[in-house]
Each structure stands twice: as C-alpha cells, then as structure tokens.
Amino acid sequence: MEEEHEEGKKEEGAPAAPVEGGPVSAKSQMNYPLVKVCDMADEMRTEALECVVTAVEKHPGQYENAAKMMKEVMDKKFGPSWNAVVGEGYGFNIQHSVRNLLFLFYGGTVAVLLFKAT
C-alpha cells in the first residue's frame, strides 16, 4: 500500500526569548526533534527519533554523512529501502510505504525526511 505525501513550507520557530545573560538564539533553544509529520507505529517512531538525533549530533553540518548513517541504521533495524534526506530549505513530494514516514526539524533549521520506499 502506498501513500503520497507533500510538504513544501518551511515553518519558522518562535523568536528567541531573552534569558539571564542575554538573548539565546532559536537554534540553541531547539536541540530536540520537532516532529511535523509522522505515521509510524510508536515503537518504530521512537527508534527512528533516536537514530535521527544520534546521526545529526554525530555529524554536525555534514548532512550527507548524517543521512547515510540514518539509512544504514533503519535498513538494518526495519529492512531495506529506507531513504533519508537531511538539509535546510527544501520541499518534497514523495510516495512511501504506509506507516513508514517521519519528517522533522532538529536544531531549529535542519530538516530531516526519513521514509521507506515501496
């Protein structure tokens, strides 16, 4: 079973609020995944989020390496045909296996799209 999904808008986070010691950037405030779209089962979602956070933190600024790591981990845990896209300022229109899609922002600006192709 396939599902088509389209996402084209990049949403901006809330403006940074000043804290003791001066203002804090939105990027430093958002060191957690902000899930925008997910149709995965809870267990798979938890594993995928851990995979994404580990890859992005292990390869800061190296989006290609982070995506490669995500794909390899997901292929090993949940079978082949996973795809990972990591970057800033992109839209997408894909066909994916049902209950195998995750789209999130990490660190405020880094978007991660993780899905299993049919």
Side-chain angles (χ1 to χ4, degrees):
M1 204 170 176
E2 290 183 359
E3 184 174 305
E4 189 169 317
H5 194 86
E6 185 173 347
E7 180 72 31
K9 294 189 284 186
K10 181 179 173 187
E11 295 191 17
E12 298 295 325
V19 239
E20 288 183 33
V24 176
S25 72
K27 186 173 183 177
S28 66
Q29 283 184 332
M30 295 184 65
N31 283 338
Y32 58 89
L34 177 63
V35 176
K36 301 305 281 181
V37 179
C38 183
D39 70 351
M40 295 178 170
D42 290 338
E43 184 179 323
M44 183 183 284
R45 176 185 169 136
T46 302
E47 294 280 338
L49 286 172
E50 288 176 10
C51 172
V52 167
V53 170
T54 301
V56 172
E57 287 180 349
K58 186 173 181 177
H59 302 286
Q62 299 173 337
Y63 301 147
E64 186 175 344
N65 292 341
K68 183 177 180 181
M69 181 179 172
M70 287 176 213
K71 180 195 175 7
E72 289 171 354
V73 168
M74 294 300 287
D75 279 348
K76 187 175 181 179
K77 287 186 179 182
F78 301 106
S81 300
W82 283 91
N83 295 279
V85 181
V86 181
E88 298 179 29
Y90 64 87
F92 64 88
N93 183 359
I94 60 167
Q95 286 189 335
H96 63 92
S97 298
V98 175
R99 309 224 3 116
N100 289 290
L101 171 74
L102 174 65
F103 178 62
L104 61 86
F105 289 98
Y106 187 82
T109 59
V110 179
V112 176
L113 172 63
L114 188 61
F115 66 99
K116 187 170 188 174
T118 52

